[in-house]
Amino acid sequence: MQKRIGVFGGSFDPVHVGHLWIAEAATETLDLDRLLWIPTATQPLKPGGAVAGDDQRVEMLRLAIAGRPGHEVDTRELHRAGVSYTVDTIAELQQEHAGAEFYLIIGSDSLASMRRWHQPEQLLSRVTLAVVQRGGEQAIDFSVLKGLVSEDRIERFRGCVIEMPVIEISSSEIRRRAGQGSSIRHRVPRSVEAYIEANGVYRG
């Protein structure tokens, strides 16, 4: 039987409960066998980079998903030299997991910028897009993909929308609060909160 593998990339700086909600909803909605959390290295569309160190972001991710079967951290993009492109990551994963079906989990903002991604046509031929629709957002606009992929593929993507409630939480807000010594309880898993406090990750 064909394996269904989700790919969830991001800075995760830090990982928070909103990310965990999305991961659980994706696993359920798409009936995934595995979900790969892939912390990003240098992102072409976010040249500023992460605030926490790579090792810190990875450790926080591992703490957050500890004990969750089927979810794992994949650090390949952190070890790749230079700018890291999603299409290269997917190509590598497909070589390692022959015959698996890959679902790329992205937000509607990432969908809107798809034409600016590296080799979008090739990427879209390799993965099924699973776009997160947050509560209160309008219907996902897939028209940006016209000309990049067939109408049949776009219809397939429409059927993989991940509907979510409104989640008013962001990594930047958590960094700000941690930096000024305010509570981040219930915004991140308790293990991640303890790690941030113990290591002064966002202080100074």
Side-chain angles (χ1 to χ4, degrees):
M1 188 173 168
Q2 190 178 42
K3 287 272 189 188
R4 301 162 71 93
I5 302 176
V7 175
F8 187 20
S11 299
F12 303 122
D13 187 25
V15 60
H16 56 65
V17 294
H19 296 130
L20 294 170
W21 275 38
I22 289 169
E24 286 301 319
T27 300
E28 193 172 275
T29 301
L30 306 172
D31 193 24
L32 299 178
D33 297 296
R34 294 171 69 188
L35 178 68
L36 304 179
W37 294 71
I38 303 186
T40 52
T42 304
Q43 288 182 269
L45 302 184
K46 282 188 180 178
V51 175
D54 290 350
D55 290 345
Q56 291 175 321
R57 291 188 293 134
V58 168
E59 185 58 27
M60 288 188 284
L61 264 179
R62 287 184 171 141
L63 288 167
I65 66 172
R68 176 58 171 91
H71 288 210
E72 56 195 87
V73 181
D74 184 312
T75 60
R76 75 184 63 227
E77 292 197 358
L78 299 178
H79 304 307
R80 189 181 293 152
V83 175
S84 200
Y85 295 113
T86 303
V87 68
D88 297 332
T89 298
I90 296 297
E92 285 179 7
L93 287 168
Q94 286 179 322
Q95 282 190 318
E96 295 165 19
H97 305 278
E101 183 169 6
F102 285 89
Y103 294 81
L104 182 62
I105 300 159
I106 63 171
S108 56
D109 52 340
S110 294
L111 175 67
S113 69
M114 184 58 66
R115 287 185 179 275
R116 293 163 50 209
W117 286 42
H118 185 62
Q119 297 178 351
E121 294 97 336
Q122 186 180 344
L123 175 64
L124 295 171
S125 73
R126 289 178 175 271
V127 299
T128 297
L129 281 188
V131 184
V132 177
Q133 182 179 5
R134 294 176 178 85
E137 280 188 342
Q138 294 183 336
I140 302 297
D141 180 11
F142 286 93
S143 65
V144 68
L145 301 182
K146 287 186 185 297
L148 293 177
V149 66
S150 71
E151 287 295 332
D152 285 349
R153 292 286 288 166
I154 292 175
E155 280 307 306
R156 168 97 176 115
F157 301 162
R158 284 189 207 280
C160 293
V161 169
I162 301 165
E163 296 183 359
M164 295 292 299
V166 177
I167 304 172
E168 295 290 352
I169 189 169
S170 70
S171 293
S172 57
E173 179 209 7
I174 292 165
R175 291 196 298 270
R176 179 184 60 78
R177 293 183 65 85
Q180 64 191 24
S182 299
S183 172
I184 56 172
R185 178 143 306 183
H186 307 309
R187 290 172 170 82
V188 298
R190 180 69 188 103
S191 56
V192 174
E193 179 190 7
Y195 180 88
I196 289 171
E197 289 177 355
N199 293 277
V201 179
Y202 298 109
R203 291 293 182 94

